[in-house]
Amino acid sequence: MESILTSIKKLLGIEESYEIFDPDIILYINSAFSTLTQLGVGPEKGFSIKDKTTTWSEYLNNDPRLDLIKNYVFLKVKLIFDPPTSSSVQSAYERMIQELEWRILHAVEIMINKEGA
């Protein structure tokens, strides 16, 4: 099982054992999950992590159709925690986030339609 916090730290280039930024990263991860909740994705009551024990499978229910959420959460955290110095790179990240939001919403809609059928 893959820890949400550990995987995001890895993508940010931070060693798992280096915990000084954990409270900040956890805050930003939870902010991304709040956005997903507002978009109607994930548990109806929301989702948050407190430490490195929470895994992706707890959020994604081992459904590979939702793996895009990992990229989404990373990019949302990256933009806040370690924003790019180049405005063109920042714009690219923002466009990627918008595309991921669309793809995630589309995947969830397909899942709902198949379950309802």
Side-chain angles (χ1 to χ4, degrees), residues 67-117:
D67 276 348
L68 291 170
I69 289 173
K70 295 177 184 180
N71 295 338
Y72 177 81
V73 171
F74 162 67
L75 286 172
K76 293 286 278 185
V77 171
K78 173 84 172 156
L79 273 179
I80 300 169
F81 180 75
D82 185 22
T85 55
S86 164
S87 62
S88 60
V89 173
Q90 179 159 345
S91 294
Y93 283 177
E94 290 168 351
R95 285 191 306 275
M96 288 173 66
I97 288 170
Q98 289 175 345
E99 179 180 344
L100 286 168
E101 284 176 349
W102 183 87
R103 290 181 180 276
I104 291 165
L105 289 173
H106 185 67
V108 168
E109 183 179 314
I110 289 171
M111 290 167 55
I112 290 171
N113 288 338
K114 284 186 178 182
E115 289 172 6

Side-chain angles (χ1 to χ4, degrees), residues 31-41 43-44 46 105:
S31 176
F33 283 131
S34 291
T35 301
L36 287 167
T37 299
Q38 290 175 346
L39 292 172
V41 178
E44 195 174 309
L105 289 173

